[in-house]
Amino acid sequence: METELNKTDASASGEAWKKVISIAIRVIVGAVVLYFVFSLVQWQNVIIAYKSADSRFIIIAALLLFVNIGVRTLKWRTMLCSVKENPTFTEAFGSVMLGISLGSFTPGEIGEFAGRALHITDAKRSHLVGLALLDKAQIFIVAACAGIVSLACLALDNSLVIALVAIVVVFLSSVFIMRLEMIAALGHYLNASFFKKSWLTRVLDGFSLLNPRQLFGTVLCTLAFQGVLILQMFFLINGFSRISFAHAFIGTSAMMFVKSLLPISIGDLGIREAGSIFFFSTYGVSQAAALNASLILFLINIFIPSIVGTYFIRHQQLSVFKLTQFWKK
Protein backbone atom coordinates (compact mmCIF):
# COMPACT_ATOMS: atom_id res chain seq x y z
CA MET A 1 0.00 0.00 0.00
CA GLU A 2 2.81 2.34 0.97
CA THR A 3 4.59 1.53 -2.29
CA GLU A 4 1.48 2.44 -4.31
CA LEU A 5 1.18 5.74 -2.45
CA ASN A 6 4.84 6.48 -3.13
CA LYS A 7 4.33 5.75 -6.82
CA THR A 8 1.31 8.05 -6.87
CA ASP A 9 3.28 10.83 -5.15
CA ALA A 10 6.19 10.34 -7.53
CA SER A 11 3.85 10.46 -10.52
CA ALA A 12 2.23 13.66 -9.27
CA SER A 13 5.65 15.15 -8.59
CA GLY A 14 6.81 14.24 -12.09
CA GLU A 15 3.72 15.83 -13.65
CA ALA A 16 4.30 18.94 -11.55
CA TRP A 17 7.87 19.28 -12.79
CA LYS A 18 6.77 18.80 -16.40
CA LYS A 19 4.23 21.59 -15.98
CA VAL A 20 6.80 23.87 -14.33
CA ILE A 21 9.29 23.28 -17.16
CA SER A 22 6.61 23.81 -19.80
CA ILE A 23 5.49 27.06 -18.16
CA ALA A 24 9.09 28.24 -17.86
CA ILE A 25 9.69 27.56 -21.56
CA ARG A 26 6.57 29.49 -22.52
CA VAL A 27 7.53 32.40 -20.28
CA ILE A 28 10.96 32.50 -21.94
CA VAL A 29 9.43 32.28 -25.43
CA GLY A 30 6.98 35.06 -24.60
CA ALA A 31 9.77 37.23 -23.16
CA VAL A 32 11.95 36.72 -26.25
CA VAL A 33 9.10 37.53 -28.64
CA LEU A 34 8.17 40.59 -26.59
CA TYR A 35 11.81 41.72 -26.69
CA PHE A 36 11.82 41.62 -30.48
CA VAL A 37 8.42 43.33 -30.59
CA PHE A 38 9.62 46.11 -28.30
CA SER A 39 12.79 46.46 -30.37
CA LEU A 40 10.59 47.44 -33.31
CA VAL A 41 9.05 50.30 -31.37
CA GLN A 42 10.76 53.35 -29.93
CA TRP A 43 9.86 53.71 -26.26
CA GLN A 44 9.65 57.45 -26.66
CA ASN A 45 6.81 56.97 -29.15
CA VAL A 46 5.07 54.53 -26.82
CA ILE A 47 5.17 57.03 -23.94
CA ILE A 48 4.00 59.86 -26.19
CA ALA A 49 1.13 57.69 -27.41
CA TYR A 50 0.04 56.96 -23.82
CA LYS A 51 0.20 60.61 -22.84
CA SER A 52 -1.89 61.67 -25.82
CA ALA A 53 -4.39 58.78 -25.57
CA ASP A 54 -8.11 59.47 -25.50
CA SER A 55 -9.08 57.90 -22.17
CA ARG A 56 -12.77 57.80 -23.10
CA PHE A 57 -12.19 55.06 -25.68
CA ILE A 58 -9.99 53.07 -23.30
CA ILE A 59 -12.63 53.28 -20.55
CA ILE A 60 -15.30 52.03 -22.96
CA ALA A 61 -13.08 49.08 -23.91
CA ALA A 62 -12.51 48.33 -20.23
CA LEU A 63 -16.24 48.45 -19.45
CA LEU A 64 -16.83 45.94 -22.25
CA LEU A 65 -15.02 43.42 -20.05
CA PHE A 66 -18.29 43.05 -18.11
CA VAL A 67 -20.07 42.19 -21.37
CA ASN A 68 -17.25 39.81 -22.28
CA ILE A 69 -17.47 37.92 -18.98
CA GLY A 70 -21.27 38.07 -19.00
CA VAL A 71 -21.47 36.46 -22.44
CA ARG A 72 -19.00 33.75 -21.48
CA THR A 73 -20.90 33.05 -18.26
CA LEU A 74 -24.25 32.90 -20.05
CA LYS A 75 -22.81 30.49 -22.62
CA TRP A 76 -21.28 28.26 -19.94
CA ARG A 77 -24.53 28.23 -17.94
CA THR A 78 -26.37 27.14 -21.10
CA MET A 79 -23.89 24.31 -21.50
CA LEU A 80 -24.20 23.31 -17.86
CA CYS A 81 -27.94 22.83 -18.32
CA SER A 82 -27.09 19.70 -20.32
CA VAL A 83 -25.35 18.01 -17.37
CA LYS A 84 -27.14 19.30 -14.26
CA GLU A 85 -30.50 20.69 -13.28
CA ASN A 86 -30.90 24.47 -12.93
CA PRO A 87 -27.27 25.60 -12.64
CA THR A 88 -27.07 29.08 -11.15
CA PHE A 89 -25.53 32.07 -12.89
CA THR A 90 -23.28 32.56 -9.85
CA GLU A 91 -21.97 29.01 -10.10
CA ALA A 92 -21.31 29.43 -13.82
CA PHE A 93 -19.55 32.75 -13.17
CA GLY A 94 -17.26 31.21 -10.55
CA SER A 95 -16.45 28.35 -12.89
CA VAL A 96 -15.57 30.72 -15.74
CA MET A 97 -13.40 32.94 -13.53
CA LEU A 98 -11.56 29.98 -12.02
CA GLY A 99 -10.98 28.63 -15.52
CA ILE A 100 -9.57 31.95 -16.74
CA SER A 101 -7.26 32.21 -13.75
CA LEU A 102 -5.86 28.68 -14.12
CA GLY A 103 -5.76 28.90 -17.90
CA SER A 104 -3.78 32.14 -17.93
CA PHE A 105 -0.58 30.54 -16.64
CA THR A 106 -0.84 26.95 -17.87
CA PRO A 107 0.43 25.63 -21.23
CA GLY A 108 -2.15 25.99 -23.98
CA GLU A 109 -4.62 27.26 -21.35
CA ILE A 110 -5.22 23.62 -20.42
CA GLY A 111 -5.78 24.68 -16.82
CA GLU A 112 -9.02 26.31 -17.88
CA PHE A 113 -10.60 22.88 -18.40
CA ALA A 114 -9.71 21.81 -14.87
CA GLY A 115 -10.77 25.13 -13.39
CA ARG A 116 -14.21 25.02 -14.94
CA ALA A 117 -14.80 21.42 -13.90
CA LEU A 118 -13.53 21.72 -10.33
CA HIS A 119 -15.96 24.52 -9.45
CA ILE A 120 -19.08 22.59 -10.56
CA THR A 121 -20.80 20.03 -8.35
CA ASP A 122 -23.26 17.23 -9.17
CA ALA A 123 -21.90 16.61 -12.67
CA LYS A 124 -19.35 14.27 -14.22
CA ARG A 125 -16.06 16.08 -14.53
CA SER A 126 -15.24 14.29 -17.75
CA HIS A 127 -18.44 15.70 -19.28
CA LEU A 128 -17.58 19.17 -17.94
CA VAL A 129 -14.16 18.97 -19.56
CA GLY A 130 -15.84 17.87 -22.78
CA LEU A 131 -18.17 20.86 -22.65
CA ALA A 132 -15.23 23.20 -21.96
CA LEU A 133 -13.45 21.68 -24.95
CA LEU A 134 -16.59 22.19 -27.03
CA ASP A 135 -16.61 25.83 -25.92
CA LYS A 136 -13.01 26.24 -27.09
CA ALA A 137 -13.77 24.49 -30.39
CA GLN A 138 -16.65 26.88 -31.13
CA ILE A 139 -14.49 29.91 -30.34
CA PHE A 140 -11.69 28.62 -32.57
CA ILE A 141 -14.03 27.94 -35.50
CA VAL A 142 -15.57 31.43 -35.31
CA ALA A 143 -12.11 33.01 -34.94
CA ALA A 144 -10.83 30.95 -37.88
CA CYS A 145 -13.77 31.95 -40.04
CA ALA A 146 -13.32 35.67 -39.34
CA GLY A 147 -9.53 35.36 -39.49
CA ILE A 148 -9.33 33.57 -42.84
CA VAL A 149 -11.73 36.04 -44.45
CA SER A 150 -9.74 38.94 -42.95
CA LEU A 151 -6.44 37.51 -44.21
CA ALA A 152 -8.02 37.21 -47.65
CA CYS A 153 -8.99 40.89 -47.49
CA LEU A 154 -5.42 41.80 -46.55
CA ALA A 155 -3.73 39.60 -49.15
CA LEU A 156 -6.06 39.90 -52.15
CA ASP A 157 -7.19 42.83 -54.28
CA ASN A 158 -9.94 41.06 -56.21
CA SER A 159 -13.24 41.65 -54.41
CA LEU A 160 -14.91 38.79 -56.28
CA VAL A 161 -12.31 36.29 -55.07
CA ILE A 162 -12.59 37.66 -51.53
CA ALA A 163 -16.37 37.25 -51.65
CA LEU A 164 -15.99 33.66 -52.90
CA VAL A 165 -13.52 32.86 -50.12
CA ALA A 166 -15.90 34.39 -47.57
CA ILE A 167 -18.87 32.35 -48.81
CA VAL A 168 -16.94 29.07 -48.75
CA VAL A 169 -15.38 29.72 -45.34
CA VAL A 170 -18.64 30.83 -43.73
CA PHE A 171 -20.47 27.79 -45.13
CA LEU A 172 -17.85 25.31 -43.93
CA SER A 173 -17.62 27.01 -40.54
CA SER A 174 -21.39 26.85 -40.13
CA VAL A 175 -21.39 23.14 -40.92
CA PHE A 176 -18.56 22.41 -38.49
CA ILE A 177 -19.88 24.52 -35.63
CA MET A 178 -23.36 23.02 -35.81
CA ARG A 179 -22.12 19.45 -36.30
CA LEU A 180 -19.19 19.21 -33.90
CA GLU A 181 -20.29 15.68 -33.02
CA MET A 182 -18.56 14.70 -36.28
CA ILE A 183 -15.27 15.86 -34.77
CA ALA A 184 -16.12 13.90 -31.63
CA ALA A 185 -16.77 10.80 -33.73
CA LEU A 186 -13.37 11.22 -35.37
CA GLY A 187 -11.83 11.61 -31.92
CA HIS A 188 -13.51 8.41 -30.74
CA TYR A 189 -12.12 6.57 -33.77
CA LEU A 190 -8.58 7.82 -33.22
CA ASN A 191 -8.79 7.05 -29.51
CA ALA A 192 -10.03 3.52 -30.14
CA SER A 193 -7.34 2.93 -32.78
CA PHE A 194 -4.29 4.58 -31.23
CA PHE A 195 -4.56 6.26 -27.82
CA LYS A 196 -7.01 3.88 -26.10
CA LYS A 197 -7.66 6.19 -23.14
CA SER A 198 -10.97 5.65 -21.34
CA TRP A 199 -11.02 9.21 -19.92
CA LEU A 200 -10.69 10.63 -23.44
CA THR A 201 -13.81 8.72 -24.49
CA ARG A 202 -15.75 10.25 -21.60
CA VAL A 203 -14.48 13.75 -22.46
CA LEU A 204 -15.48 13.41 -26.11
CA ASP A 205 -18.98 12.43 -25.01
CA GLY A 206 -19.37 16.05 -23.90
CA PHE A 207 -19.55 17.11 -27.54
CA SER A 208 -22.93 15.41 -27.98
CA LEU A 209 -24.63 16.56 -24.75
CA LEU A 210 -26.24 19.76 -26.06
CA ASN A 211 -29.67 19.67 -27.65
CA PRO A 212 -30.24 21.77 -30.82
CA ARG A 213 -31.64 24.73 -28.89
CA GLN A 214 -28.72 24.78 -26.47
CA LEU A 215 -26.24 24.42 -29.31
CA PHE A 216 -27.78 27.33 -31.21
CA GLY A 217 -27.69 29.47 -28.06
CA THR A 218 -24.00 28.74 -27.49
CA VAL A 219 -23.21 29.60 -31.10
CA LEU A 220 -24.91 32.99 -30.70
CA CYS A 221 -22.91 33.59 -27.52
CA THR A 222 -19.71 32.67 -29.36
CA LEU A 223 -20.48 35.18 -32.11
CA ALA A 224 -21.25 37.82 -29.46
CA PHE A 225 -17.95 37.06 -27.70
CA GLN A 226 -16.03 37.53 -30.95
CA GLY A 227 -17.92 40.76 -31.58
CA VAL A 228 -17.04 42.13 -28.14
CA LEU A 229 -13.33 41.43 -28.72
CA ILE A 230 -13.45 43.32 -32.01
CA LEU A 231 -15.28 46.23 -30.38
CA GLN A 232 -12.72 46.38 -27.58
CA MET A 233 -9.83 46.52 -30.04
CA PHE A 234 -11.69 49.10 -32.14
CA PHE A 235 -12.03 51.43 -29.15
CA LEU A 236 -8.48 50.78 -27.94
CA ILE A 237 -6.94 51.57 -31.32
CA ASN A 238 -9.06 54.70 -31.55
CA GLY A 239 -7.77 55.69 -28.15
CA PHE A 240 -4.35 56.18 -29.75
CA SER A 241 -5.06 56.55 -33.45
CA ARG A 242 -8.00 56.63 -35.84
CA ILE A 243 -9.31 53.56 -37.61
CA SER A 244 -12.62 52.53 -39.15
CA PHE A 245 -14.66 49.68 -37.72
CA ALA A 246 -14.19 47.65 -40.93
CA HIS A 247 -10.41 47.90 -40.66
CA ALA A 248 -10.56 47.15 -36.92
CA PHE A 249 -12.62 44.05 -37.72
CA ILE A 250 -10.08 42.81 -40.27
CA GLY A 251 -7.01 43.61 -38.17
CA THR A 252 -8.40 42.15 -34.95
CA SER A 253 -9.78 39.01 -36.59
CA ALA A 254 -6.49 38.31 -38.37
CA MET A 255 -4.55 38.96 -35.14
CA MET A 256 -6.77 36.68 -33.03
CA PHE A 257 -6.68 33.87 -35.59
CA VAL A 258 -2.89 33.89 -35.91
CA LYS A 259 -2.59 34.05 -32.11
CA SER A 260 -4.81 30.99 -31.73
CA LEU A 261 -2.60 29.06 -34.14
CA LEU A 262 0.54 29.84 -32.13
CA PRO A 263 -0.13 29.09 -28.42
CA ILE A 264 3.56 29.23 -27.57
CA SER A 265 3.65 31.78 -24.76
CA ILE A 266 1.87 32.46 -21.48
CA GLY A 267 -1.25 34.53 -22.05
CA ASP A 268 -0.22 34.77 -25.74
CA LEU A 269 2.06 37.66 -24.77
CA GLY A 270 4.26 38.66 -27.67
CA ILE A 271 2.31 36.80 -30.36
CA ARG A 272 -0.74 39.05 -29.97
CA GLU A 273 1.42 42.20 -29.88
CA ALA A 274 3.43 41.21 -32.96
CA GLY A 275 0.22 40.45 -34.84
CA SER A 276 -1.31 43.75 -33.78
CA ILE A 277 1.68 45.73 -35.05
CA PHE A 278 1.87 43.78 -38.30
CA PHE A 279 -1.80 43.82 -39.29
CA PHE A 280 -2.80 47.29 -38.12
CA SER A 281 0.23 48.89 -39.75
CA THR A 282 -1.48 48.01 -43.04
CA TYR A 283 -4.09 50.66 -42.23
CA GLY A 284 -1.65 53.35 -41.16
CA VAL A 285 -1.79 52.68 -37.41
CA SER A 286 1.56 53.44 -35.78
CA GLN A 287 3.53 50.63 -34.18
CA ALA A 288 3.30 52.36 -30.79
CA ALA A 289 -0.50 52.66 -31.02
CA ALA A 290 -0.93 49.02 -32.08
CA LEU A 291 1.39 47.81 -29.30
CA ASN A 292 -0.34 49.90 -26.63
CA ALA A 293 -3.79 48.74 -27.69
CA SER A 294 -2.74 45.08 -27.66
CA LEU A 295 -1.12 45.30 -24.23
CA ILE A 296 -4.16 47.03 -22.74
CA LEU A 297 -6.40 44.35 -24.28
CA PHE A 298 -4.27 41.76 -22.44
CA LEU A 299 -4.60 43.67 -19.16
CA ILE A 300 -8.37 44.02 -19.52
CA ASN A 301 -9.33 40.56 -20.75
CA ILE A 302 -6.70 38.31 -19.18
CA PHE A 303 -4.74 39.94 -16.36
CA ILE A 304 -7.65 41.51 -14.46
CA PRO A 305 -9.96 38.43 -14.70
CA SER A 306 -7.04 36.21 -13.65
CA ILE A 307 -6.52 38.31 -10.52
CA VAL A 308 -10.23 38.14 -9.72
CA GLY A 309 -10.20 34.38 -10.37
CA THR A 310 -7.60 33.81 -7.67
CA TYR A 311 -10.44 34.25 -5.15
CA PHE A 312 -11.98 31.02 -6.42
CA ILE A 313 -8.59 29.26 -6.49
CA ARG A 314 -8.16 30.04 -2.79
CA HIS A 315 -11.54 28.57 -1.96
CA GLN A 316 -10.95 25.43 -4.03
CA GLN A 317 -7.75 24.51 -2.13
CA LEU A 318 -6.28 23.17 -5.35
CA SER A 319 -3.29 20.85 -5.48
CA VAL A 320 -1.24 19.56 -8.39
CA PHE A 321 -2.54 16.05 -7.76
CA LYS A 322 -6.13 17.31 -7.81
CA LEU A 323 -5.55 19.15 -11.06
CA THR A 324 -4.02 16.11 -12.75
CA GLN A 325 -6.61 13.61 -11.49
CA PHE A 326 -9.85 15.60 -11.76
CA TRP A 327 -11.16 13.85 -14.89
CA LYS A 328 -11.32 10.45 -13.21
CA LYS A 329 -14.61 11.37 -11.52
Side-chain angles (χ1 to χ4, degrees):
M1 181 62 120
E2 185 176 350
T3 302
E4 292 181 359
L5 289 175
N6 290 336
K7 288 182 179 180
T8 301
D9 292 339
S11 177
S13 178
E15 289 294 328
W17 274 110
K18 288 181 182 179
K19 291 180 181 296
V20 169
I21 293 172
S22 180
I23 291 173
I25 291 174
R26 288 172 182 268
V27 169
I28 294 172
V29 169
V32 171
V33 175
L34 276 177
Y35 171 78
F36 284 108
V37 169
F38 289 147
S39 68
L40 297 174
V41 184
Q42 295 182 359
W43 278 104
Q44 184 179 0
N45 293 337
V46 174
I47 295 172
I48 292 174
Y50 269 117
K51 289 182 177 179
S52 61
D54 190 332
S55 59
R56 295 174 300 175
F57 288 109
I58 297 175
I59 291 173
I60 292 173
L63 291 175
L64 283 172
L65 171 63
F66 295 101
V67 182
N68 181 315
I69 298 298
V71 169
R72 296 179 72 173
T73 302
L74 177 62
K75 178 182 179 180
W76 185 234
R77 182 180 180 276
T78 301
M79 288 183 158
L80 290 178
C81 288
S82 66
V83 293
K84 65 176 299 181
E85 187 176 354
N86 297 324
T88 65
F89 194 85
T90 302
E91 185 179 26
F93 171 76
S95 178
V96 169
M97 297 306 295
L98 180 58
I100 292 175
S101 190
L102 291 181
S104 64
F105 61 84
T106 51
E109 298 184 353
I110 193 171
E112 183 171 353
F113 302 133
R116 290 203 181 192
L118 288 170
H119 191 74
I120 304 299
T121 59
D122 303 326
K124 286 185 177 180
R125 287 179 179 170
S126 57
H127 285 172
L128 293 170
V129 174
L131 289 175
L133 189 60
L134 174 62
D135 182 12
K136 287 289 187 182
Q138 289 181 342
I139 292 174
F140 177 78
I141 291 174
V142 170
C145 177
I148 292 172
V149 173
S150 297
L151 290 174
C153 292
L154 289 166
L156 303 173
D157 293 327
N158 192 318
S159 57
L160 183 61
V161 175
I162 294 174
L164 181 61
V165 170
I167 292 172
V168 172
V169 170
V170 170
F171 173 75
L172 292 177
S173 299
S174 301
V175 172
F176 274 112
I177 204 167
M178 296 303 294
R179 296 297 303 274
L180 280 171
E181 69 271 12
M182 294 187 299
I183 297 179
L186 176 61
H188 280 300
Y189 172 77
L190 293 175
N191 185 42
S193 303
F194 303 102
F195 308 114
K196 299 180 180 179
K197 301 291 186 181
S198 59
W199 63 266
L200 184 57
T201 298
R202 296 194 299 271
V203 167
L204 290 172
D205 287 340
F207 274 62
S208 58
L209 293 174
L210 301 183
N211 61 42
R213 182 178 178 180
Q214 292 169 339
L215 180 60
F216 183 71
T218 59
V219 171
L220 291 180
C221 288
T222 305
L223 293 173
F225 172 69
Q226 180 75 8
V228 171
L229 289 178
I230 294 170
L231 274 176
Q232 285 180 302
M233 201 62 182
F234 167 72
F235 285 119
L236 289 174
I237 290 290
N238 276 280
F240 300 98
S241 180
R242 288 295 174 262
I243 191 172
S244 68
F245 180 77
H247 290 168
F249 177 93
I250 294 172
T252 305
S253 298
M255 176 188 74
M256 298 303 291
F257 176 52
V258 171
K259 175 188 73 66
S260 65
L261 292 177
L262 298 171
I264 57 176
S265 65
I266 297 298
D268 297 315
L269 274 172
I271 307 301
R272 176 180 45 253
E273 286 66 36
S276 179
I277 291 174
F278 180 79
F279 292 119
F280 284 109
S281 64
T282 305
Y283 299 115
V285 177
S286 69
Q287 293 177 337
L291 175 62
N292 289 340
S294 179
L295 287 174
I296 295 176
L297 185 70
F298 166 78
L299 290 174
I300 293 173
N301 285 352
I302 299 178
F303 184 76
I304 294 176
S306 296
I307 296 299
V308 175
T310 57
Y311 169 83
F312 299 97
I313 292 179
R314 181 167 59 87
H315 283 267
Q316 285 291 328
Q317 298 179 343
L318 299 179
S319 65
V320 173
F321 180 77
K322 190 175 182 181
L323 283 174
T324 56
Q325 300 294 320
F326 72 97
W327 57 71
K328 288 188 175 181
K329 292 188 178 181

